[in-house]
Amino acid sequence: MLIFKEIQLLPEIFLGISIIYLIIHGTFISVNTKYLLIQNSVLYLSVLIVSMFCFLLLNNAVECSDFQIFNNGIIVDFLSFSSKIWIAIMSIFCFLMIQRYVTIQKINYFEYSILILFALLGIFFICSANDLITAYLSIELQSLSFYVMAAMKKDSAFSVDAGLKYFILGAFSSSLFLFGSSILYGISGTVNFEDLKNLFDSISTKESSMTTSTNSTFFQSILLEGSLIQFAFVFIFVSLLFKLAVAPFHLWSLDVYEESPTSSTFFFAVVPKLAIFVLLIRIFYSTLLEHVVKWRYYIVVLAILTVIVGSFGGVEQKRLKSLLAYSSISHMGYTLIAFSTGTFEGMQTVFCYLFLYMIAGLCIWSIFLVLQLKYKYSKKQNKDLADLNSLSKANKVLALFFSTVLLSIAGMPPMIGFLVKIGIFLASIEASMYFVAIVSILCSVISTFYYIRIIKIMYFESSLTGKLYHPIKSNISIVIVCLFYFLLFLFINPTLVYLISHKIVILLSMTIV
């Protein structure tokens, strides 16, 4: 039985060993002068590795089983299984889309793909983390890879500046996580989520059993212990909000998204959000569910602030990357609103929204990557909104795809984004959060403005001369078309996403109870 449990970690073991072999492969080829361009081969091998990782995950066929291995530090359940599958599929599309960009920008370092694989390994371990030490090490593995990816263009001062900012603020957030974990361990003697849940339940039982007339030091020590544990969890929660770029901890994301290589920004914006939310669910629903009244209001306040900042901040932006950064901030706010409800419908909406956000973000950033203007002396990626001027005349199909996906994430009725946003508003109303629902609806209307402004520039902006774009390769166009039609299919038949999220929440509630 013990061997069977440890086999459940076989996909991560395979990924780690494959990374080592890929490093050896890249090292030997890079010293050979016959093979100067090695990035493409390493990219395609990375796609193969992640595909095999998906195959091994599916081969495990984890359903309702709940395995805890390595001294209960890693948990293998349907929540981790489904989130890993989804992240791996999105990562395959990311690899396929950045291939042309890294060639144009001359990022001919085989280490770039390996850093993405290291980040993926950390993300997969975040999804399976069952104690704070495993979560911290996984976050650091992901973050260290992201720091180097942000500064990968060594000849660009902007890229180096983005990597340095990301490193300083990321290290600060990691130190908050470690500080909170150390306080928690000093008080309780454990960092395991299940042990902490039992400890909280015992403290709550003792508090309820003590009468108000009791003035014993034992009662005071219980209250002090409960307060210190909540104080430690505040540091952990704030550090995770840094990783999600939630207001007021979002300022780093604007500079990092804008100044990093677009392929790195592509990965930052799409892939890691789901894993952080899985960790938040394990902490606040598996560990602190009995104390939902104590922490939900803080999350509600931060969620409202995040939605307001993301909606109003993007109105004045003239650069597409900064606008998409504010869009990402507002979407994290909507997800936190559903997360803070504490209801079954709210948790189901969290996963639906994250799944659809990743697909739509993947489609938007893919279109952003393929739109390269024909500058004579520059190979810069288009960043200003004015560079999208008259895109409908240059490429009607791509302009239609871009407009439709923007309307989807804005929450317009003909697309799947409308359904999931309605789900968030209904979940907040069912949880009696009427003020939150009203503010989020108004902010959703405001944020629609800057999405419609992009469409207006593409279709109705007048210019003296048209824009010329580089042609798009057939394999890349096939990927974009598949993503777009998948979004259309989800609007016609959204049952797939709702069934997956429903099953995740049902099995999660069974393990919590």
Side-chain angles (χ1 to χ4, degrees):
M1 187 66 181
L2 181 61
I3 297 176
F4 175 72
K5 288 183 178 181
E6 292 180 351
I7 288 178
Q8 301 297 324
L9 204 62
L10 183 61
E12 284 81 3
I13 296 173
F14 165 77
L15 181 58
I17 296 174
S18 300
I19 291 172
I20 296 174
Y21 276 104
L22 203 58
I23 293 173
I24 298 172
H25 166 76
T27 303
F28 277 104
I29 291 184
S30 61
V31 297
N32 194 336
T33 56
K34 294 181 180 179
Y35 305 100
L36 295 178
L37 299 176
I38 59 174
Q39 183 60 260
N40 287 343
S41 66
V42 179
L43 270 173
Y44 291 133
L45 284 174
S46 302
V47 171
L48 178 62
I49 290 171
V50 179
S51 302
M52 294 299 295
F53 177 87
C54 292
F55 174 77
L56 290 174
L57 273 178
L58 294 171
N59 192 45
N60 281 339
V62 177
E63 294 296 334
C64 298
S65 301
D66 185 6
F67 298 107
Q68 296 185 18
I69 53 179
F70 291 102
N71 199 20
N72 297 334
I74 294 175
I75 186 170
V76 182
D77 55 0
F78 189 75
L79 174 60
S80 63
F81 167 75
S82 56
S83 56
K84 286 176 191 176
I85 282 287
W86 198 262
I87 291 171
I89 293 173
M90 295 296 106
S91 303
I92 291 173
F93 282 105
C94 288
F95 275 117
L96 294 175
M97 293 309 303
I98 67 174
Q99 185 266 335
R100 180 173 177 270
Y101 176 84
V102 295
T103 303
I104 294 173
Q105 296 294 321
K106 297 180 179 179
I107 306 178
N108 190 34
Y109 313 110
F110 73 91
E111 296 89 351
Y112 189 71
S113 301
I114 294 173
L115 286 170
I116 297 178
L117 291 178
F118 270 121
L120 280 176
L121 184 60
I123 290 171
F124 293 145
F125 276 118
I126 292 174
C127 295
S128 298
N130 198 38
D131 62 34
L132 293 174
I133 296 299
T134 305
Y136 171 75
L137 294 176
S138 305
I139 291 173
E140 284 303 291
L141 179 59
Q142 168 207 293
S143 301
L144 290 173
S145 303
F146 283 174
Y147 304 153
V148 185
M149 286 170 61
M152 204 63 189
K153 288 188 68 176
K154 295 181 287 187
D155 56 343
S156 172
F158 295 106
S159 178
V160 175
D161 183 54
L164 187 60
K165 290 177 182 176
Y166 201 1
F167 170 71
I168 293 173
L169 294 174
F172 174 70
S173 66
S174 298
S175 65
L176 292 179
F177 189 95
L178 196 59
F179 182 63
S181 302
S182 61
I183 293 177
L184 202 58
Y185 181 74
I187 297 169
S188 61
T190 182
V191 288
N192 186 267
F193 293 154
E194 288 192 1
D195 295 339
L196 290 172
K197 179 180 182 298
N198 296 331
L199 177 64
F200 265 89
D201 293 341
S202 64
I203 291 176
S204 300
T205 304
K206 291 176 183 177
E207 287 180 356
S208 60
S209 63
M210 304 294 274
T211 60
T212 55
S213 60
T214 305
N215 291 320
S216 63
T217 57
F218 178 66
F219 180 58
Q220 294 176 358
S221 65
I222 291 174
L223 291 177
L224 179 62
E225 185 179 6
S227 302
L228 285 176
I229 290 176
Q230 294 175 19
F231 178 72
F233 270 110
V234 168
F235 284 97
I236 296 172
F237 180 56
V238 169
S239 67
L240 294 178
L241 294 185
F242 261 103
K243 304 298 181 184
L244 288 174
V246 170
F249 315 108
H250 68 286
L251 297 177
W252 64 269
S253 64
L254 304 176
D255 291 334
V256 171
Y257 278 35
E258 178 66 36
E259 298 175 358
S260 298
T262 307
S263 55
S264 300
T265 308
F266 185 12
F267 199 80
F268 300 159
V270 174
V271 176
K273 310 290 187 182
L274 178 58
I276 300 297
F277 265 100
V278 169
L279 181 59
L280 282 172
I281 289 168
R282 293 199 189 280
I283 293 175
F284 287 93
Y285 279 87
S286 298
T287 307
L288 302 176
L289 183 63
E290 298 295 330
H291 305 265
V292 63
V293 180
K294 296 181 180 179
W295 55 260
R296 66 177 292 192
Y297 294 106
Y298 302 106
I299 299 180
V300 167
V301 172
L302 291 175
I304 295 175
L305 180 62
T306 304
V307 170
I308 293 173
V309 169
S311 300
F312 285 91
V315 172
E316 297 182 352
Q317 296 300 316
K318 296 182 179 180
R319 289 181 172 271
L320 191 55
K321 272 189 176 182
S322 299
L323 192 147
L324 292 177
Y326 276 109
S327 174
S328 175
I329 292 169
S330 66
H331 289 307
M332 291 302 104
Y334 291 122
T335 313
L336 278 179
I337 289 174
F339 177 81
S340 62
T341 58
T343 61
F344 184 92
E345 293 78 10
M347 289 305 302
Q348 183 180 359
T349 310
V350 167
F351 288 105
C352 288
Y353 200 86
L354 285 173
F355 290 162
L356 270 301
Y357 164 77
M358 292 178 71
I359 298 172
L362 186 64
C363 193
I364 288 176
W365 283 99
S366 299
I367 296 173
F368 181 83
L369 279 175
V370 300
L371 288 177
Q372 187 197 1
L373 287 170
K374 286 187 175 181
Y375 290 114
K376 187 175 181 181
Y377 299 107
S378 175
K379 293 183 179 179
K380 287 186 178 181
Q381 201 73 10
N382 57 317
K383 294 183 179 181
D384 296 328
L385 293 180
D387 291 331
L388 298 174
N389 192 357
S390 302
L391 177 63
S392 59
K393 298 178 181 177
N395 194 328
K396 291 183 174 60
V397 176
L398 204 61
L400 176 64
F401 286 3
F402 201 18
S403 304
T404 309
V405 179
L406 286 174
L407 291 176
S408 176
I409 64 173
M412 298 297 283
M415 291 298 290
I416 183 65
F418 171 75
L419 298 178
V420 292
K421 274 198 175 181
I422 286 294
I424 289 177
F425 301 148
L426 291 177
S428 58
I429 291 172
E430 289 177 0
S432 301
M433 298 161 54
Y434 304 110
F435 177 74
V436 176
I438 293 172
V439 172
S440 58
I441 290 171
L442 293 176
C443 290
S444 178
V445 174
I446 294 170
S447 63
T448 306
F449 165 76
Y450 54 75
Y451 297 121
I452 295 179
R453 186 177 63 170
I454 299 176
I455 299 173
K456 178 249 183 185
I457 291 173
M458 288 191 296
Y459 280 92
F460 305 108
E461 194 77 19
S462 59
S463 61
L464 296 177
T465 59
K467 303 289 184 180
L468 295 178
Y469 298 90
H470 284 281
I472 304 173
K473 292 184 178 180
S474 59
N475 54 350
I476 296 177
S477 60
I478 290 173
V479 173
I480 296 176
V481 169
C482 291
L483 290 172
F484 176 76
Y485 279 109
F486 186 59
L487 279 174
L488 287 183
F489 169 76
L490 290 178
F491 172 71
I492 298 171
N493 186 14
T495 310
L496 174 64
V497 176
Y498 281 104
L499 281 178
I500 294 174
S501 58
H502 187 79
K503 185 174 182 179
I504 291 173
V505 179
I506 285 180
L507 296 179
L508 183 64
S509 61
M510 289 172 58
T511 57
I512 291 174
V513 174

